[in-house]
Amino acid sequence: MYRSHNCGELRAADINKEVTLAGWVQKSRDKGFMIWVDLRDRYGITQLIFDEARTDENMMQRARSLGREYVVQIKGTVIERESKNLNIPTGEIEVLVNELTILNEAQLPPFTIEDETDGGEDLRMKYRYLDIRRNPVKNSLLFRHKVTQEVRNYLSNLDFCEVETPYLIKSTPEGARDFVVPSRMNPGQFYALPQSPQTFKQLLMVGGLDRYFQIVKCFRDEDLRADRQPEFTQIDCEMSFIEQEDILKVFEGLTRHLLKTIHNIDITQFPRITYDEAMAKYGNDKPDIRFGMEFGELNAAAQHKDFSVFNHAELVVGIAVPDAASYTRKQIDALIDWVKRPQVGASGMVYCKCELDGTFKSSVDKFYDQADLAKWAEVTGAKAGDLILILSGPANKTRAQLSALRMELANRLGLRQPNEFAPLWVMDFPLLEWDDETGRYHAMHHPFTSPKKEDIHLLDSEPGKVRANAYDLVLNGNEIGGGSIRIHDKETQALMFKHLGFTTAEAQEQFGFLMNAFQYGAPPHGGLAFGLDRLVAILGGQETIRDFIAFPKNNAGRDVMIDAPATIDNAQLDELSLVLNIKG
Ligand code: ASP
């Protein structure tokens, strides 16, 4: 038996017990006649004591030789601690050691294994196994486990069946690029790793499984953005014989269940807005609604004077920043510089202070009188003491810029509290999205999403106006999940592929398996997937998902611990019938 107890469980009630412990040396203190060692494992820290008066010289010497992170086993007696540490659960006792076995020595770790470490991100990634010994990372992994367990409990109780779908599949256009895997047995042929199990879960519905879920790895070879991982995990679900409303109810329930079991928070409201409203009010399809600062469109209120910048703009739009009328010229100039940064891209910004005495002071007083400015305040919902900030230009760009400013101000004003949770459904997404690069429409969600019946007639004339039965669940400004009601008949699916620019032959070649299946009695179905990594990070009150992933890749998509991706040798290339042609 390696241990009778773990390092986190001995208490005053255990005094006088003979125990065996095993773990890592966190640190030791040598007072000459006494040596204290903090022994650590996943469960906690227990203080060991070696005492000259009660321990033989040989063991004192071996105790003195223990370095940080040595792995040891000890036997000893639990005794009362003289100076108690009430900050840790084992702080009332210590273990007087009478047998010490060094199980493994350790080199000095490249960074300190403490809650606050001196190791930079790269170093910690390279030695991730050491990083995982630190409480913040270890606790994040335990937290993730708790979340996934609650997800499994909740869905299993509702008759969802967890099914594994294959990782080696066929490359299909689903939005992002596929990671591909060469097939040795089939020279020149490749598998692709799934961007999601989308078609398989639909086929499970055709198979009559009725309710499916899977906590599943997905792979997307996208250009990396901050805090994106090329492989990530989804809570993937699909249901048959349902309407949109049924799906929303199940996943509101799941979200409620998680917030209740994890944080003991009761969420009652799951407001819903349409995509169009979200864009108009927040300039964003995943708005953070924990705070206001909703957009006020000022075209009518601002385009009747001689201010040509506004007169020539497609959209003039502003927000009221609470209690910011007192900002100095310098503070406002800094904000103007901020929106002019290339990452945001505004060409300028107009402001209007709503003074406490009821008057207004704007940067365009030359053009607008007090009555005009009062109208601006009304439209943006500004009250006395607020600062109105206004951008203008092409509608979509200007909305995106103001959205970035709204989020930045909310961060600066401390309006985004990690322990406050505000979910929101965004509904009725457009079915298709114009892509300048390829010069054609793409499915905004994916090609299997059903258009709204009442909009199908617009497919030929105004494809951009067709709305989809698609919905996203947004939490605190993050899209945590999205899904749709699916097409379940061959004709509509073929029509959809046609509008996405596939020839009949191409559609058949890539998605024949799905359209054929639809001819054998496909039930009406729909579903959704939550992004688990992000969900766990938000529930854990953190911004970055990396700490909740055991072995994450860095921002360049590399695993710096195992050093992947890496080249393979010529023999392996030959076996796979591959010839490299590296340019540049
Ligand atoms: N497969 C979709 C995705 O990965 C989710 C869904 O429609 O269920 O976004």
Side-chain angles (χ1 to χ4, degrees), residues 174 195-199 201 218 220 232 234 236-238 445-446 449 471 479 481-484 486 526-530:
E174 215 186 308
Q195 296 184 26
S196 87
Q198 185 60 36
T199 50
K201 66 175 173 175
C218 302
R220 295 185 191 172
F232 59 96
Q234 284 190 343
D236 190 45
C237 305
E238 197 74 5
H445 186 46
H446 52 55
T449 293
Y471 34 80
E479 179 207 323
S484 60
R486 324 297 185 193
L528 158 158
F530 275 7

Side-chain angles (χ1 to χ4, degrees), residues 278-298:
M279 296 310 284
K281 266 191 178 170
Y282 304 100
N284 194 318
D285 62 0
K286 44 179 171 30
D288 191 338
I289 56 163
R290 283 173 298 179
F291 57 93
M293 289 198 265
E294 290 174 14
F295 289 14
E297 295 193 2
L298 293 163

